[in-house]
Amino acid sequence: MAHSCNRAAGRLLGFLLLLAPTCPALAQSTTTCSLSALVDSANRHLPLLLEKQALVQSAKAGITEAKHAFLPRLNVVEELSVGSADDVTGPFLPLPGILHSISGSITAEPNYQAVTGNMASLYGEYELVDFGLKSAKINNAKAFAGLSQADLEKERYLVKWQIGKLFFAILRSRYQLAVDAEDLRRYESMLTITCALTGSGVNPGVDSSLARAGLSRTRVNYNEATGALHRLEQQLAYLTGIDHPVISLDTAVANLPVLPMDTAAAPLNPLADYFAKQKQQYSSQADLARKSYLPKVLLGAGGWARGSSIQYNNLYGSAGEGLGYQRFNYLAGLGITYDLFNGIHRRDRLSVIDGQVKAADYALRQQQLQLQTQQRQAEESIRIAQANLLELPSQLHAATDAYHQKEAQYQAGVINLVDLVNASFELFQAQSAYIRTVNDWYTANLDKAAATGNLDQFIQTVK
């Protein structure tokens, strides 16, 4: 049965290829493109995909940022100041913008004489023990980069699928336009014959009116088909950046891929992989939340040097005496920090993330269910199209013979115009059914490939 379907579809496409060059719309075409070439062009042109690529690069840079976030902190300060040094001893709150000395005045009487001071400091700090926080942050950054990459692949996959549908829709529209053009020529021939017969008095004058009405109707159908084709081409140009591409298809249906019914070994579908990566990213956030609220052990070390124009013997010297370093100190130590309310914060944060993980899991199941349903529907459409392809050659052959017989009978005055119009309509319907069925066959295979994760393989085999 499959071999017969292939022969039938091959004859059909051969017939359509003979018709297609008669279509004036093809005269606008300038670029010959295969399906894979159109997909490649979309990857380079479509701003949506370029945006996703930029976000992937940003997410990958975030991995490096997460690694560098745990480098030791080393602060260097150099300060030169001029002002009074009169204060009193006592506690104070460290209000922003107000700095106090913790020591009191060195004289009994207020002294507002300006003094100079010079101070330099160096302080370094390193998280000696972070209880896995560093690895959790890096893993979370990697998970986010993986999600960004999966989002890019999902959008690419959807664009490929959309271009594939447009590819076959444009082919169908062009072939249908060629059939409409042939139908238009038949009605023009009918009008010519009718005018000759009515002019000679063989047929009533109403036949010419009916013929003109039929010709006008076919012209309207042709114009509408031309507009539909142009809209499809505009949509393809929007996705690929190529105006009026010439697209062609191998007439041998047997050259299309035979997709496996068992999808156990099929590649992971990017549409499902996105939700799997989303769930993974939420899980990494949960691990990061657990590690973020653990204690931190810090190793700190520093040193500083200071000079002042006030001497140790309570002598206020000149301003220049305070510009050099006079005293040097150092300090090193270990510290541990922990917020006693971290347990509450961790519980609240994990409750939020747990809901996100569950939602991502349900979204993954929903997508898998949709893909399974799409695969079954595509397989059913393929089965119906294959069955119809066995019948359609006979229908087209019979309709063609019937039209030619009716045309000869009408010219001989044996039948009326209505019989000839009915025969023409049957031929038009048979040709259109051929186009529609082959398009259904290709589109169903495309949908099956997309549902099973074999879309790239399908695109590469469409020549």
Side-chain angles (χ1 to χ4, degrees), residues 28-29 170 174 229-237 244:
Q28 303 174 357
S29 302
I170 289 175
R174 287 182 174 177
L229 173 59
H230 289 168
R231 286 190 292 271
L232 290 172
E233 289 177 336
Q234 290 165 1
Q235 181 67 14
L236 187 61
H244 304 299

Side-chain angles (χ1 to χ4, degrees), residues 143-158:
F144 182 72
L147 177 62
S148 298
Q149 184 68 44
D151 186 35
L152 170 61
E153 297 304 325
K154 174 177 71 73
E155 291 298 332
R156 281 178 173 170
Y157 203 76
L158 290 173

Side-chain angles (χ1 to χ4, degrees), residues 306-377:
R306 187 176 183 186
S308 175
S309 62
I310 305 177
Q311 303 302 314
Y312 66 94
N313 56 359
N314 195 27
L315 176 63
Y316 282 70
S318 65
E321 295 179 7
L323 300 182
Y325 299 125
Q326 301 163 3
R327 293 289 188 269
F328 299 89
N329 292 278
Y330 61 88
L331 180 67
L334 288 174
I336 183 169
T337 63
Y338 182 70
D339 185 352
L340 296 179
F341 289 96
N342 273 354
I344 298 175
H345 299 322
R346 180 175 61 247
R347 183 188 61 198
D348 294 342
R349 182 60 183 160
L350 288 176
S351 296
V352 173
I353 297 176
D354 182 62
Q356 294 173 332
V357 172
K358 290 181 179 178
D361 183 61
Y362 289 132
L364 175 60
R365 296 182 189 180
Q366 177 68 23
Q367 184 63 73
Q368 291 172 336
L369 182 61
Q370 289 179 355
L371 292 174
Q372 292 171 0
T373 303
Q374 289 171 352
Q375 178 187 351
R376 289 193 292 266
Q377 291 175 340

Side-chain angles (χ1 to χ4, degrees), residues 53-343:
Q53 291 178 23
L55 292 175
V56 169
Q57 295 301 319
S58 174
K60 290 180 178 179
I63 299 175
T64 302
E65 181 186 25
K67 293 178 179 178
H68 290 171
F70 290 88
L71 292 174
R73 289 182 288 275
L74 189 62
N75 298 322
V76 178
V77 177
E78 168 62 35
E79 177 184 336
L80 176 64
S81 59
V82 179
S84 62
D86 198 56
D87 212 329
V88 295
T89 303
F92 64 91
L93 292 174
L95 299 177
I98 301 177
L99 299 178
H100 291 277
S101 171
I102 62 173
S103 61
S105 177
I106 60 175
T107 61
E109 297 297 328
N111 189 342
Y112 302 110
Q113 180 181 346
V115 297
T116 60
N118 194 34
M119 185 176 69
S121 66
L122 177 67
Y123 175 72
E125 183 180 280
Y126 180 68
E127 291 188 16
L128 193 62
V129 181
D130 60 15
F131 300 98
L133 178 61
K134 177 181 179 181
S135 61
K137 282 189 175 181
I138 293 174
N139 290 336
N140 183 63
K142 291 180 178 179
F144 182 72
L147 177 62
S148 298
Q149 184 68 44
D151 186 35
L152 170 61
E153 297 304 325
K154 174 177 71 73
E155 291 298 332
R156 281 178 173 170
Y157 203 76
L158 290 173
V159 169
K160 290 176 187 177
W161 196 351
Q162 187 177 3
I163 290 176
K165 286 182 176 293
L166 281 172
F167 181 85
F168 294 119
I170 289 175
L171 279 176
R172 172 185 174 180
S173 184
R174 287 182 174 177
Y175 293 142
Q176 183 63 50
L177 193 60
V179 169
D180 290 337
E182 184 184 356
D183 192 39
L184 182 59
R185 288 193 296 271
R186 283 198 299 268
Y187 273 91
E188 290 173 345
S189 176
M190 286 183 202
L191 180 60
T192 301
I193 297 172
T194 300
C195 289
L197 293 177
T198 56
S200 61
V202 176
N203 286 343
V206 70
D207 280 8
S208 61
S209 298
L210 291 175
R212 287 190 177 90
L215 178 60
S216 179
R217 175 180 53 80
T218 55
R219 284 174 177 166
V220 170
N221 292 340
Y222 183 84
N223 292 337
E224 290 179 349
T226 301
L229 173 59
H230 289 168
R231 286 190 292 271
L232 290 172
E233 289 177 336
Q234 290 165 1
Q235 181 67 14
L236 187 61
Y238 157 74
L239 293 174
T240 65
I242 302 175
D243 293 326
H244 304 299
V246 174
I247 58 177
S248 59
L249 187 64
D250 194 331
T251 58
V253 178
N255 290 337
L256 276 180
V258 179
L259 301 179
M261 298 299 293
D262 182 10
T263 60
L268 182 61
N269 195 308
L271 301 181
D273 184 53
Y274 169 77
F275 294 101
K277 289 295 193 300
Q278 187 181 64
K279 180 181 177 182
Q280 180 180 343
Q281 201 266 334
Y282 285 138
S283 298
S284 72
Q285 284 187 0
D287 184 58
L288 177 59
R290 295 186 188 96
K291 303 294 176 60
S292 296
Y293 294 101
L294 293 176
K296 297 180 178 62
V297 179
L298 304 178
L299 172 64
W304 63 96
R306 187 176 183 186
S308 175
S309 62
I310 305 177
Q311 303 302 314
Y312 66 94
N313 56 359
N314 195 27
L315 176 63
Y316 282 70
S318 65
E321 295 179 7
L323 300 182
Y325 299 125
Q326 301 163 3
R327 293 289 188 269
F328 299 89
N329 292 278
Y330 61 88
L331 180 67
L334 288 174
I336 183 169
T337 63
Y338 182 70
D339 185 352
L340 296 179
F341 289 96
N342 273 354

